[in-house]
Amino acid sequence: MPEPFISDEGADAGRQLGWLKRLLPWIPIGAALAYPWTLRLFHEAIVAQPQSVVPAIWLILAFALPLSCLVSAWRCARRSGDAPPVVRRLAFVALAAPPLFVSTGVVSSLVHSPLPDLWTWSIFWLVLGIGAAVASSKGQSRPPGAMTGRLRVVHGISALAILLFVAFHLTNHLFGLFGPVIHAQVMAIGRLVYRSRFVEPVFVAILLFQVASGFKLAWRWSARRLDVAGVLQVGSGAYLAAFILTHLNSAFVSARWVHGIPTDWAWATGAPEGLLMDAWNIRLLPHYALGVFFVIAHVFCGLRTVLLAHGVRSSIANQVWACGLLGAGGVSLLITAALCGLRI
Ligand code: HEM
């Protein structure tokens, strides 16, 4: 006997919605699974036909796949009832595919893994997808917890210390446009401070605190309704957490401690092969480019929140934010071009 008040059409629509919801976690998982293939296809295309547009198309796709996860997260986060938090969180993790793929390669090499990177990568995402699908099929989780105001303030204050280093570090990489010698001269000045016996361990501790506190904040925020700026704030934070851990592991553990490689411009640019022509190094390109973009974007998302909290008109706060994002894109483009060999 048909249930009262539920027409066959309504039941069909409900069933379709159920299927759609079950499919949701697989959209970011699909993007993450496809990501390394776009890099491989880029490499094959640039070796075979360096003058054609085909390599550019694969490279654009390599950037578009993780960025599409930002759109997935936004679609899930517009209304809190739309998708369980696990699906949004999964989209934020998949946005961090570029640093996570670099880590997969570096850690696989450090532990002498017998599995090729692509296998490890695929197993990781399939397990994550199955876990997320099971969790999301269990329906909505607990209501979001209260926002920890004090943690936000401390996260913001330690960000200021990190910002000093990042401002120098990115300016240093912009000097790469004038060649490796000038880049090294500028880096030598910075190293006197950030590589000093006292500063370096304190700075690494601050970075780890930033990642841990950011993780806690992102966990809470990702269970809430978010606007575009909120999605970019949480998404860029998720990317940066993965980027910082990957970058520190590559520089400190893999390069300096294990292989005794100096962490200079040659190391960053994968010399002598370079970033573009080497099958492994190409993964560093989206990793670095989006790292630079998101670190600046994250700061401007935070600044927008502070401006709004201090009563600044939303139109002005949004203009400052939009200028910051434009600037982030410009700086990222210039540093990426320098890393790929552009000189002025
Ligand atoms: C294009 C992007 C980037 C490139 C090519 C790059 C490259 C490098 C290089 C070559 C070093 C070694 C520095 C040295 O030996 O003195 C380094 C260290 C470091 N980078 Fe980056 N970096 C990039 C972006 C970032 C960003 C966005 C952050 C921050 C979120 C960051 C954080 C760090 C930290 C914390 C260290 C360790 C500093 C130390 O030696 O104590 N990097 N990076």
Side-chain angles (χ1 to χ4, degrees):
M1 202 176 130
E3 275 190 57
F5 310 119
I6 297 182
S7 68
D8 281 353
E9 261 174 47
D12 279 354
R15 268 195 295 275
Q16 270 175 11
L17 219 65
W19 270 107
L20 267 177
K21 279 200 169 173
R22 247 173 269 174
L23 270 180
L24 279 178
W26 296 102
I27 298 172
I29 292 287
L33 282 170
Y35 172 72
W37 292 99
T38 54
L39 296 177
R40 180 181 271 208
L41 291 164
F42 166 82
H43 175 70
E44 284 170 12
I46 199 158
V47 169
Q49 323 154 259
Q51 308 295 338
S52 88
V53 291
V54 181
I57 292 172
W58 288 121
L59 196 59
I60 289 169
L61 212 57
F63 277 86
L65 285 173
L67 289 175
S68 74
C69 298
L70 212 47
V71 180
S72 293
W74 174 67
R75 289 179 67 91
C76 294
R78 268 183 308 179
R79 279 166 291 162
S80 50
D82 270 0
V86 66
V87 179
R88 299 176 213 174
R89 288 177 184 141
L90 192 65
F92 288 128
V93 177
L95 169 67
L100 292 175
F101 188 52
V102 172
S103 264
T104 304
V106 174
V107 174
S108 297
S109 146
L110 284 175
V111 300
H112 304 290
S113 166
L115 278 185
D117 282 7
L118 272 174
W119 279 77
T120 313
W121 182 253
S122 307
I123 293 167
F124 170 76
W125 287 102
L126 287 174
V127 169
L128 209 62
I130 292 167
V134 171
S136 74
S137 69
K138 288 189 180 152
Q140 287 284 352
S141 52
R142 280 172 289 151
M147 290 310 298
T148 42
R150 206 180 300 162
L151 189 66
R152 286 171 76 184
V153 173
V154 183
H155 187 78
I157 292 170
S158 60
L160 291 177
I162 296 172
L163 203 60
L164 284 179
F165 168 81
V166 171
F168 171 81
H169 196 51
L170 297 188
T171 309
N172 190 172
H173 297 328
L174 282 172
F175 274 95
L177 286 165
F178 302 103
V181 175
I182 295 188
H183 181 270
Q185 285 166 351
V186 176
M187 187 178 263
I189 300 168
R191 277 179 175 178
L192 294 175
V193 180
Y194 69 75
R195 278 238 196 152
S196 73
R197 252 197 209 176
F198 172 72
V199 173
E200 193 165 57
V202 172
F203 181 55
V204 171
I206 295 177
L207 278 168
L208 296 179
F209 166 77
Q210 200 68 6
V211 170
S213 55
F215 182 81
K216 189 161 183 187
L217 290 171
W219 189 264
R220 296 262 167 105
W221 278 110
S222 55
R224 291 168 178 266
R225 209 182 282 191
L226 293 170
D227 58 9
V228 178
V231 168
L232 190 60
Q233 173 100 60
V234 178
S236 55
Y239 187 98
L240 285 178
F243 180 89
I244 289 171
L245 296 179
T246 300
H247 201 46
L248 291 182
N249 182 46
S250 300
F252 284 89
V253 182
S254 175
R256 289 194 213 158
W257 296 342
V258 176
H259 297 110
I261 301 172
T263 47
D264 53 11
W265 184 253
W267 169 75
T269 56
E273 295 84 359
L275 296 186
L276 285 173
M277 299 308 286
D278 184 81
W280 199 100
N281 290 346
I282 183 59
R283 74 183 72 191
L284 294 170
L285 192 78
H287 165 67
Y288 283 146
L290 292 177
V292 174
F293 175 75
F294 281 134
V295 78
I296 303 174
H298 194 67
V299 171
F300 274 88
C301 288
L303 181 63
R304 177 180 173 273
T305 309
V306 172
L307 291 178
L308 290 174
H310 283 82
V312 173
R313 274 214 317 269
S314 64
S315 59
I316 296 180
N318 283 337
Q319 274 172 22
V320 172
W321 178 60
C323 288
L325 297 188
L326 266 178
V331 174
S332 168
L333 206 68
L334 285 173
I335 293 181
T336 308
L339 289 166
C340 293
L342 180 77
R343 298 288 174 264
I344 50 178

